């Protein structure tokens, strides 16, 4: 399933302006947290500590070349989709990239809109997305419309509240830690306050409760949060 805000993307591009443009285009929607780095060595470090849903990878990188980086990622069992940016076109280059483990590639210069569309398609494919509607008990989320209904009634959530709810619905009945929510909701450039998640959870819990008492966001002290529903509400 595809989460609208829970997708974390790594952009590895040494052309600073281009990297910034790609990241800005991804961030225009509410669906992505985007980390940017400009060399292969830093990319390896980031991939060691962060779980990404997609990497957009330039081939001509300093320190560790893009092809070497891709090979090492696959050797380390990093299975995220990888979209390669290359200045070289032709069948031989395509075959080499795909054999290295690339899932798609684009030749520079490229259309930024097409890049974003391909990135989204790769993420959907990687998540096995077929249904864009999530349902947990009385709570229904239409990802395409970013619409939330509880017991048949529309409720109005802030962007962050929506992201949290959608992430919890992707993990029904699982306990999701505060750290996991922070990791999947925000990128490294965001400076957060220590209680930001608690504040959004509190608002989300109140809005759900006002719509139906059959769905609640539980706080499990020291462990995290869970979207819980009454048994009779589970379809």
């Amino acid at each position: 399933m595809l989460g609208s805000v829970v997708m974390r993307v790594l952009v590895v591009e040494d052309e600073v302006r281009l990297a910034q443009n790609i990241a800005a285009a991804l961030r225009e929607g509410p669906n992505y947290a985007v980390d940017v780095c400009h060399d292969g060595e830093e990319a390896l470090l980031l991939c060691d500590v962060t779980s990404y849903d997609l990497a957009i990878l330039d081939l001509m990188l300093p320190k560790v070349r893009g092809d070497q980086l891709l090979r090492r990622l696959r050797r380390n069992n990093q299975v995220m989709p990888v979209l390669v940016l290359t200045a070289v076109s032709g069948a031989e280059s395509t075959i080499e990239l795909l054999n290295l483990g690339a899932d798609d590639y684009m030749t520079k210069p490229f259309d930024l809109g097409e890049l974003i569309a391909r990135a989204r398609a790769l993420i959907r494919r990687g998540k096995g997305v077929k249904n864009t509607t999530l349902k947990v008990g009385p709570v229904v989320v239409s990802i395409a419309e970013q619409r939330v209904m509880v017991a048949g009634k529309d409720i109005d959530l802030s962007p962050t509240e929506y992201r949290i709810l959608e992430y919890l619905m992707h993990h029904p009945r699982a306990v999701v830690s505060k750290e996991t929510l922070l990791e999947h909701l925000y990128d490294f450039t965001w400076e957060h306050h220590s209680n930001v998640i608690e504040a959004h959870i509190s608002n989300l819990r109140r809005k759900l409760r006002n719509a139906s008492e059959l769905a609640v966001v539980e706080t499990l002290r020291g462990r995290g949060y869970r979207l819980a529903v009454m048994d009779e509400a589970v379809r």
Side-chain angles (χ1 to χ4, degrees), residues 135-198:
K135 186 175 188 302
V136 177
V139 185
V140 177
V141 170
S142 169
I143 294 174
E145 299 176 299
Q146 299 204 350
R147 177 186 181 192
V148 178
M149 289 173 288
V150 180
K153 295 177 287 189
D154 285 289
I155 65 170
D156 185 25
L157 301 181
S158 72
T160 302
E161 292 161 7
Y162 174 87
R163 297 169 191 171
I164 292 173
L165 176 62
E166 189 183 308
Y167 191 86
L168 293 175
M169 292 188 69
H170 276 299
H171 304 81
R173 301 172 187 82
V175 179
V176 179
S177 70
K178 174 182 174 181
E179 291 72 22
T180 297
L181 286 175
L182 286 170
E183 177 181 333
H184 285 269
L185 294 177
Y186 303 104
D187 56 47
F188 289 142
T189 63
W190 184 72
E191 295 182 5
H192 63 80
H193 302 290
S194 60
N195 64 345
V196 65
I197 291 295
E198 286 87 343

